[in-house]
Amino acid sequence: MSALLAVRGVSKRFGGLQALSNVTFGVDHREIVGIIGPNGAGKTTLFNVITGVYAPDLGRVELRGMDVTGWAPHRICRLGAARTFQIGKPFAALSVLQTVRIGALNRIDSMAGATARALEVLELVGLAGKRDDLGRHLTVIERKRLELARALATGPALLLLDEVAAGLRPNEIQEMIALVRRIAAGGVSVLIIEHVLEAVMRLSARRGVPGRGLHACLKSRASRWRTATCACSTT
Amino acid sequence: MKGRLAVGVVALGVAAAVPLVAGQHLLTAFIVALHAAYMALAWNVAAGYAGQFSLGHSLFYGIGAYASTMLYLKLGLTPWVGMFAGAALAGVVGVLLALGVYRYNVRGIFFALVTLGAAEVAKGLADNWHWIKGPVGILLTMKAAPAEFFFLRREPYYYVALAMVVAMVAISLVLERSRLGQHFLAVREDEAAAEASGVDTHRAKTVAIGLSAALTAFAGSFYAQFYLYVSPETVLTFEPQLTMMLGTMVGGAGTALGPVLGSVLFSGLGEALRNLPFENTRQVVIGSKLVYAILLIVILIYLPGGLITLGRRRA
């Protein structure tokens, strides 16, 4: 069985800055993988390459066995990889329900069906009570939950979480960790980028640090998802 | 929901009864208001829902006016059918324009400027195109020919204009409740987040412009049949665009009733100002523009969502 996500030898340069160089790693079905690293290590760039925001200069991205390098983001979302944004991008003038419903319309054609799905997801992330609030009126954690809900509603096989714990208070981080666990328990693989080490440590089976390329892997920890074998290559 | 439906039916009943009580002059004012409301709603599809702030919709208005008129004069095709041909043509032009513009990722203010430029180019072309009589324009003859969209009295025009507005409100409501409409909203709010939600933003924007362009063209055809005169100076200037924007922005962009509200208010205001005790026409024009401008500024500062948000706040 091929990996759900395979990143092979991806490099990306912005002018004089080599953001990613020869990054290779994969995410399997029903796996949580964490990527940690300081600011500027290329974590978000990696996400942007995987989700089609940027095409890599070199290398390939494969999702569910298909070469998706250079695909537009919406096609990658349709194929089953949904991401959240580090800086929450709520649809400012739309309600929470509308926002999540737009995500749900990715897989469901009817408005009624998408609304029902959106309500389920809102229940899961604990935003059901805020369904009629506008995006711009949400607090930081609510925005992060909304981001998660919007991405989850698209029905992904792989969820890419960009710093879902950053900026949250300790008790909120605990809630967020529990939430990601619940989502993963539903059969969704998770690739998580995180500043907050605790979140990654507690969540992921495997962790990589992009640095100059994903060049260091922390010790892998036996987990209930799978015994990790570190697949992060060095430059 | 039921309450709203009842209000809608009552409003429609009142609107349908207007010609019974209004004189010809007042009826004309109502027709102008309804026409403005229709145009505003058509522009609102692209600008209000999908956030594609086109300043070149006069181009599509002009295409509608010229297409139905030329088809009638050269081929004898009734404008009732010709207006659909004009809409199709405007839709194609809109899609081609959108494909070109979005291909190069032109957005926001630059998109507005490019569309404005497109309308200017169209005016320049029309001014120099002898087949459509250049700057002189085309005069239609007044006659009673209902099958060819010509009426001597105001009442039929009024009902056509009313039907167009009702249809356009219905289209807006259906759009709001459709997948396509939700995609428009997502594009308006944030294109990156829309893409990440599985929305083909390029396609959604192209469809929004094409649809809005086609709908706008119907207004142009109506204009030609009502005023019986089409020229670059009347249909391809910034004037129609301004009408669309004023009504939409004042009433509430991205809503199905806001543009109607704003357009009726502004048209009514124009009518009321005409009766002010000014000494000559020039003063009336300057005076009414002043009042327009002041009112617009006040509304945009205190009610950025438009007049429609007044009712929502209370509800």
Side-chain angles (χ1 to χ4, degrees):
Chain A
M1 178 136 190
S2 66
L4 177 60
L5 172 75
V7 175
R8 299 188 201 278
V10 162
S11 296
K12 180 71 189 174
R13 172 187 282 276
F14 297 106
L17 175 73
Q18 188 74 42
L20 297 171
S21 84
N22 198 23
V23 176
T24 297
F25 76 103
V27 178
D28 267 351
H29 291 278
R30 304 182 68 84
E31 190 179 36
I32 299 182
V33 174
I35 294 173
I36 55 181
N39 281 332
K43 301 188 299 294
T44 298
T45 301
L46 180 62
F47 262 27
N48 282 336
V49 168
I50 293 171
T51 56
V53 175
Y54 306 136
D57 299 332
L58 285 171
R60 278 184 306 157
V61 178
E62 289 165 19
L63 182 65
R64 300 172 79 167
M66 292 181 76
D67 187 349
V68 299
T69 318
W71 280 26
H74 70 269
R75 287 183 70 201
I76 290 175
C77 179
R78 289 220 74 131
L79 188 61
R83 61 95 55 96
T84 65
F85 288 91
Q86 181 179 353
I87 301 149
K89 286 182 180 267
F91 293 138
L94 302 188
S95 74
V96 165
L97 176 60
Q98 268 182 310
T99 301
V100 179
R101 182 168 57 203
I102 286 167
L105 284 167
N106 186 44
R107 297 258 178 264
I108 305 166
D109 284 337
S110 84
M111 282 289 279
T115 305
R117 176 71 190 132
L119 288 172
E120 275 173 36
V121 174
L122 284 176
E123 197 68 51
L124 178 70
V125 304
L127 273 181
K130 298 270 178 184
R131 50 181 281 188
D132 294 324
D133 286 25
L134 294 187
R136 69 165 93 94
H137 294 148
L138 298 182
T139 63
V140 174
I141 185 162
E142 285 165 356
R143 277 180 198 211
K144 300 231 171 204
R145 284 171 185 269
L146 178 59
E147 268 297 298
L148 198 57
R150 184 190 54 70
L152 191 58
T154 64
L158 173 66
L159 194 58
L160 298 101
L161 305 178
D162 196 348
E163 309 232 334
V164 280
L168 300 185
R169 291 196 298 269
N171 62 321
E172 292 172 336
I173 291 174
Q174 298 306 321
E175 287 174 32
M176 192 53 88
I177 288 172
L179 180 55
V180 173
R181 281 234 166 100
R182 272 208 299 283
I183 291 166
V188 178
S189 295
V190 178
L191 179 60
I192 183 167
I193 289 177
E194 201 44 84
H195 249 137
V196 181
L197 279 175
E198 187 202 354
V200 176
M201 293 295 185
R202 290 192 40 197
L203 277 170
S204 65
R206 291 193 288 130
R207 297 170 283 273
V209 184
R212 290 188 189 84
L214 277 164
H215 80 121
C217 277
L218 296 183
K219 72 175 170 60
S220 54
R221 185 171 67 169
S223 80
R224 56 195 144 110
W225 293 287
R226 146 193 152 118
T227 310
T229 49
C230 190
C232 311
S233 81
T234 59
T235 38
Chain B
M1 192 66 211
K2 249 184 188 165
R4 252 188 257 167
L5 196 65
V7 171
V9 169
V10 169
L12 205 55
V14 170
V18 163
L20 303 178
V21 288
Q24 292 289 294
H25 175 74
L26 190 59
L27 203 54
T28 305
F30 273 107
I31 293 169
V32 170
L34 287 172
H35 179 58
Y38 176 88
M39 290 160 74
L41 282 167
W43 181 69
N44 185 44
V45 168
Y49 289 115
Q52 304 306 300
F53 206 92
S54 158
L55 290 181
H57 264 51
S58 294
L59 165 61
F60 310 124
Y61 188 75
I63 288 175
Y66 273 106
S68 62
T69 303
M70 292 311 290
L71 284 169
Y72 175 67
L73 290 179
K74 301 287 175 185
L75 300 175
L77 183 69
T78 166
W80 289 118
V81 177
M83 63 200 279
F84 285 90
L89 181 61
V92 169
V93 171
V95 165
L96 291 178
L97 182 66
L99 286 176
V101 169
Y102 296 134
R103 163 104 176 64
Y104 295 100
N105 256 334
V106 178
R107 286 177 200 189
I109 187 82
F110 301 102
F111 172 79
L113 287 174
V114 169
T115 50
L116 180 65
E120 273 309 307
V121 168
K123 181 171 182 298
L125 287 174
D127 272 331
N128 292 286
W129 193 0
H130 292 298
W131 192 62
I132 60 170
K133 302 247 165 64
V136 179
I138 307 160
L139 211 55
L140 290 164
T141 322
M142 196 177 195
K143 59 183 162 186
E148 291 172 344
F149 204 155
F150 289 97
F151 309 102
L152 290 180
R153 293 191 59 81
R154 298 285 181 217
E155 285 83 352
Y157 286 110
Y158 175 83
Y159 285 114
V160 171
L162 181 62
M164 285 172 76
V165 170
V166 170
M168 197 59 236
V169 168
I171 289 171
S172 302
L173 290 174
V174 168
L175 185 66
E176 280 178 11
R177 285 155 182 74
S178 72
R179 190 162 184 258
L180 182 67
Q182 296 297 313
H183 283 184
F184 283 3
L185 296 180
V187 166
R188 179 189 74 190
E189 294 297 315
D190 190 311
E191 287 193 30
E195 277 280 336
S197 307
V199 177
D200 185 343
T201 55
H202 193 91
R203 181 177 158 275
K205 291 192 291 186
T206 306
V207 170
I209 294 294
L211 182 62
S212 178
L215 292 168
T216 302
F218 284 107
S221 297
F222 179 86
Y223 176 94
Q225 295 308 116
F226 182 63
Y227 288 101
L228 304 174
Y229 177 61
V230 179
S231 74
E233 210 43 64
T234 52
V235 296
L236 282 169
T237 50
F238 197 63
E239 217 52 39
Q241 176 69 59
L242 201 61
T243 307
M244 298 176 209
M245 288 198 297
L246 275 179
T248 306
M249 303 316 286
V250 167
T255 66
L257 290 177
V260 180
L261 203 64
S263 303
V264 170
L265 179 91
F266 261 82
S267 303
L269 194 70
E271 197 54 33
L273 289 173
R274 200 167 297 170
N275 300 325
L276 285 182
F278 287 124
E279 281 177 17
N280 56 42
T281 329
R282 202 169 153 265
Q283 282 188 359
V284 171
V285 171
I286 293 170
S288 61
K289 280 200 172 149
L290 256 177
V291 177
Y292 273 3
I294 292 167
L295 198 73
L296 185 66
I297 291 167
V298 169
I299 289 175
L300 290 184
I301 289 174
Y302 292 102
L303 285 172
L307 290 171
I308 199 96
T309 50
L310 271 178
R312 206 172 289 157
R313 225 171 269 174
R314 244 175 250 147

